[in-house]
Amino acid sequence: MISRRGMAQAMTAAAAGAAGLAGNGKAWAASGDSAGTGAPAAAPTGRAAHGLGPVRRARTDILDIAYHDVGPARGRPVILLHGWPFSPVGSYAEVAPALAQRGYRCYLPYLRGHGQTRFLSDSTFRSGQQAALGADVVAFMDALRIPPAVFAGYDWGGRAGDVAAALWPERCTGLVSVNGYLIQNIAAAQEPLAPAREEGSWYFFYFLTERGRKGLQRDREGLARVVWRRNSPQWRFTEAEFSEAARLWANPDYVDVVIHNYRHRMAAAPGDRRYAGLERRLLGQPRITVPTVTLDGQADGVSPPTDGSGYAAHFSGPWSHHVVPGAGHNLPQEQPAAFVDAILEVDALR
């Protein structure tokens, strides 16, 4: 386990390195390519954030994806995927620099509907379904010509990583997934969970209603504050951390994407037809064959910790599971050292 002092030292060193690698457009262009594969360097388009470098952009077939990158240009690639309603900057402010210090090239994309990520066409369905999130990971890799990478995430980001690892295992060298196997079994969406689990999922049901849509539209920050406190009851986040994440929710597609995500997962809304084939494959609950480390937060208010046995059968490759003390639902921000350790562990399982 990495100590807090070690983490601080790693952040300082990595931030200094990132200034030459990713914090300056000219220095970045001089480094050659984005991942050692001949891809052109992306131009920075926004201010640097917490040592993670400027906001850059990658264009896919349907999205203009905002992202940060940190670490040596030819480092081992890892894609760090954030959850809802959180921010990649907050979630990975400590994780990414620590990994960069260890030779990793970290990519931190903003999910569809969040931050500066934008749809290219007004006519595109503002889908938040799981197949779309997973496909976005692979499309992002294609846009930047990122070689096979470790996928690591939690909540929506963890699900995106799980879907991409299951459907495109050749693109994934290892997976870190908070709360285990996150591919939704939509065919069983109407089957009840234990009451304690249903209580933690209150907003799933709220968003099924027009009242819930209006509530999210009118008070995005108020609703997110309740989710942060309820899902991570031991986390003492600062107002600065919350305000940083709140900037993401001004995205014009935020409400549509969030509402569709929860309605689709509850089998209450159709998906985007472009992902129909992928969703049919996900109905079979495909196994994940790549090396995997799963984590549960001991203080997770929405997904209580387990020993992992309930989803172990979904992982057919090398797999290990850990419960992280003091962590809630936003595990990489609450216990960054444990998340870094999990990435190092999964890389060693190859």
Side-chain angles (χ1 to χ4, degrees):
M1 190 70 72
I2 302 169
S3 69
R4 279 282 178 178
R5 170 178 261 180
M7 180 72 76
Q9 292 171 340
M11 288 175 63
T12 300
L21 288 167
N24 179 286
K26 292 182 180 178
W28 178 248
S31 71
D33 59 47
S34 67
T37 60
T45 61
R47 67 180 181 84
H50 296 270
L52 300 182
V55 175
R56 300 176 183 273
R57 315 200 74 86
R59 180 165 290 202
T60 72
D61 57 338
I62 63 170
L63 293 173
D64 186 23
I65 299 178
Y67 72 98
H68 300 280
D69 52 26
V70 180
R74 299 182 184 275
R76 299 186 300 281
V78 57
I79 301 177
L80 301 171
L81 299 158
H82 73 94
W84 177 86
F86 302 102
S87 159
V89 172
S91 295
Y92 298 114
E94 295 188 43
V95 170
L99 289 170
Q101 177 68 11
R102 288 160 175 78
Y104 287 88
R105 177 66 159 185
C106 301
Y107 297 89
L108 297 82
Y110 290 74
L111 294 171
R112 53 172 56 202
H114 292 72
Q116 295 182 40
T117 292
R118 294 289 188 273
F119 288 88
L120 299 179
S121 171
D122 291 340
S123 65
T124 302
F125 188 172
R126 270 44 177 175
S127 169
Q129 68 196 88
Q130 60 178 347
L133 299 178
D136 287 348
V137 174
V138 176
F140 174 73
M141 295 176 74
D142 288 344
L144 295 180
R145 302 181 194 171
I146 300 172
V150 171
F151 303 159
Y154 67 99
D155 195 75
W156 284 29
R159 180 163 298 107
D162 284 18
V163 168
L167 299 184
W168 294 276
E170 71 281 0
R171 309 301 295 271
C172 181
T173 60
L175 174 70
V176 175
S177 180
V178 177
N179 300 131
Y181 185 82
L182 296 177
I183 296 176
Q184 296 155 352
N185 187 356
I186 295 177
Q190 299 306 311
E191 292 300 314
L193 302 175
R197 294 291 303 276
E198 299 282 29
E199 178 192 19
S201 303
W202 65 272
Y203 49 93
F204 293 20
F205 307 103
Y206 183 53
F207 290 155
L208 293 181
T209 68
E210 185 57 24
R211 177 177 175 141
R213 171 184 277 278
K214 290 179 180 178
L216 180 63
Q217 182 67 59
R218 292 177 185 176
D219 194 359
R220 305 174 194 203
E221 292 189 21
L223 196 149
R225 191 178 294 274
V226 172
V227 172
W228 280 37
R229 288 174 172 165
R230 175 66 177 76
N231 291 8
S232 296
Q234 294 184 13
W235 183 29
R236 300 297 178 257
F237 59 86
T238 67
E239 285 304 308
E241 288 173 317
F242 186 81
S243 295
E244 187 281 319
R247 288 196 288 270
L248 275 65
W249 312 327
N251 185 297
D253 301 308
Y254 176 78
V255 172
D256 286 344
V257 169
V258 171
I259 292 297
H260 184 259
N261 176 283
Y262 288 98
R263 291 184 180 180
H264 184 269
R265 73 188 292 167
M266 300 296 284
D272 186 337
R273 287 181 293 178
R274 80 177 66 221
Y275 304 113
L278 298 179
E279 288 291 353
R280 282 193 293 271
R281 294 173 64 187
L282 295 175
L283 283 173
Q285 297 282 274
R287 288 187 176 184
I288 292 173
T289 60
V290 303
T292 301
V293 173
T294 55
L295 303 172
D296 283 341
Q298 193 174 49
D300 193 319
V302 66
S303 298
T306 72
D307 63 3
S309 60
Y311 45 72
H314 291 294
F315 300 102
S316 60
W319 168 73
S320 64
H321 176 76
H322 307 285
V323 175
V324 179
H329 202 61
N330 182 5
L331 193 149
Q333 188 163 356
E334 298 173 58
Q335 295 295 334
F339 200 80
V340 170
D341 281 348
I343 291 171
L344 300 178
E345 180 182 356
V346 81
D347 212 15
L349 291 176
R350 289 197 281 166

